Amino acid sequence: MECPKEPLESQCSLSEIDDFDLTRALDKPRLKIERKRSFDERSMSELSTGYSRHELDMAHSPGSRSFVDTPLSYVRNSFEPHPMVAEAWEALRRSMVFFRGQPVGTIAAYDHASEEVLNYDQVFVRDFVPSALAFLMNGEPDIVKNFLLKTLQLQGWEKRVDRFKLGEGVMPASFKVLHDPVRKTDTIAADFGETAIGRVAPVDSGFWWIILLRAYTKSTGDLTLSETPECQRGIRLILSLCLSEGFDTFPTLLCADGCSMVDRRMGVYGYPIEIQALFFMALKSALSMLKHDEEGREFIEKIVKRLHALSFHMRNYFWLDFQQLNDIYRYKTEEYSHTAVNKFNVMPDSIPDWVFDFMPLRGGYFVGNVSPARMDFRWFSLGNCVAILSSLATPDQSMAIMDLLEHRWEELVGEMPLKICYPCIESHEWRIVTGCDPKNTRWSYHNGGSWPVLLWMLTAACIKTGRPQIARRAIDLIESRLHRDCWPEYYDGKLGRYVGKQARKYQTWSIAGYLVAKMMLEDPSHIGMISLEEDKQMNPVIKRSASWTC
């Protein structure tokens, strides 16, 4: 979630907002369209590894509830649910935020023990995603629809940082509902980065919004929301920020530090894997929802071209396995012309020592960043999991990522899933890269901390690759500690053994991430909400680097 912010100033009363009438939106008729049972092009039989026939037969129709322990979810229960599940649902519902009497999201944390609320009482776009998925999987789509409409309305606000106006398509990082008991009115306060530490706009918010809109559509079969002129325009505005022509020579997006989940200075400026994977997933999600009218066709054409270029670039230049590492180790430098193999002029001496021992013979991953003369070899969990879910990773690459997780379980999972990145940076490098950030000390927070929320992405990736046993092992670790520790935001230490030194308790996305993981394992058809299948036309032959001679 975002760093603590100054008091919000971007406020607007209901009388001043040209607001969507959420009540009217909810009254729109739904199209009863049968939801596809998981993947668009693969049969459930391909997921049979690790599942019984009974488990795979439990695909549900749109609007049905999962059989985790909620008041209306005991149907189809074939085993006693873990006691944590009921308490997780209670905590999740306690975090709900209401606007004009209707639920519009969940706050970031419900920690009464903390003296400072800071910005943890706000609804964050990225933080709400696992909450939204939990509600969708439990047959409660209204809060998700309200959230999508409310953030879409906020997108239309004028956004300024000092005297500079932000792009029209920028989605808020967060918003807060302020209740006036005297006037009996509600006020919205939104943050687009203008009050965040570092003043960085959230690049990932727009991508998550598009991804969540598709998840809502897939879960409910309700096409009326995504096909409204407002949603179609919102999608186009987000895409216009990313697909505009400029000085770029790469199809990846150039970003500042702190523009995503890693929201503080951590050396991820440039072309971070998290943003590229979310960008790819958002493009594919938008492609499935845009209308083929005059405006839509223009963007569809741009999306198709960008997806081809982006998939080629990422699969070639961001992918690292044992053979590729050996190739880079033997790179020639200062190459010129179109025949250059070391196209980014990466210096072999810049390869950190740890990666040689870390890389197994079987396995691989997408590195953290690639730009001229720079390759960030760190592992980032979110980017690699999203790469699997979006099919940015090829089937072979997806399996290699899972192989790496199994080979390096102690380093990447340890005693609490899941390391946000590996390894940490420390000593002189920490001082230079983070600016001596006291929150991102070694093996803490975004510098190698362990984040329980990442469990749902890991579980989804495990199911998609037919490796549910990995997810079960991770969930067992979560269930041994998370509830006892009061659902903390993150854990510290090389193995993730200690509750984070500044971690908030009752962190909503830690709670929701656990629920989503449990529901997906119990009913793997849920993965259809957030899994995208590979486009065979985007699968060019990828040749190994040949910068070394035998």
Side-chain angles (χ1 to χ4, degrees), residues 340-394:
V341 175
N342 184 3
K343 294 183 179 180
F344 295 92
N345 199 34
V346 175
M347 304 297 169
D349 287 345
S350 70
I351 302 175
D353 292 338
W354 66 265
V355 78
F356 291 106
D357 295 326
F358 177 75
M359 181 63 71
L361 292 175
R362 289 181 55 218
Y365 65 103
F366 290 98
V367 297
N369 216 312
V370 176
S371 58
R374 176 177 177 240
M375 182 173 283
D376 184 349
F377 289 88
R378 284 177 295 175
W379 152 276
F380 287 86
S381 295
L382 192 153
N384 277 275
C385 287
V386 172
I388 293 175
L389 294 176
S390 65
S391 291
L392 172 59
T394 66

Side-chain angles (χ1 to χ4, degrees), residues 81-181:
H82 195 283
M84 273 178 60
V85 174
E87 299 195 32
W89 273 111
E90 182 181 347
L92 181 61
R93 297 193 190 285
R94 194 164 57 238
S95 72
M96 292 170 65
V97 173
F98 292 83
F99 178 75
R100 296 175 64 181
Q102 298 182 31
V104 292
T106 52
I107 59 174
Y110 195 82
D111 188 357
H112 288 305
S114 178
E115 295 180 359
E116 288 185 288
V117 175
L118 298 176
N119 62 346
Y120 285 78
D121 62 346
Q122 298 176 33
V123 180
F124 282 81
V125 173
R126 76 174 67 96
D127 291 42
F128 181 66
V129 171
S131 296
L133 293 176
F135 286 121
L136 288 174
M137 292 176 186
N138 202 48
E140 303 176 58
D142 287 353
I143 185 174
V144 183
K145 187 171 188 176
N146 293 345
F147 170 84
L148 290 167
L149 288 170
K150 177 51 59 182
T151 46
L152 181 62
Q153 177 246 318
L154 295 175
Q155 184 192 40
W157 286 15
E158 182 176 283
K159 303 167 277 282
R160 288 184 178 274
V161 177
D162 295 329
R163 297 183 180 182
F164 183 73
K165 183 179 178 181
L166 276 68
E168 189 177 4
V170 174
M171 281 287 185
S174 64
F175 65 88
K176 183 175 181 178
V177 177
L178 304 173
H179 304 286
D180 187 334

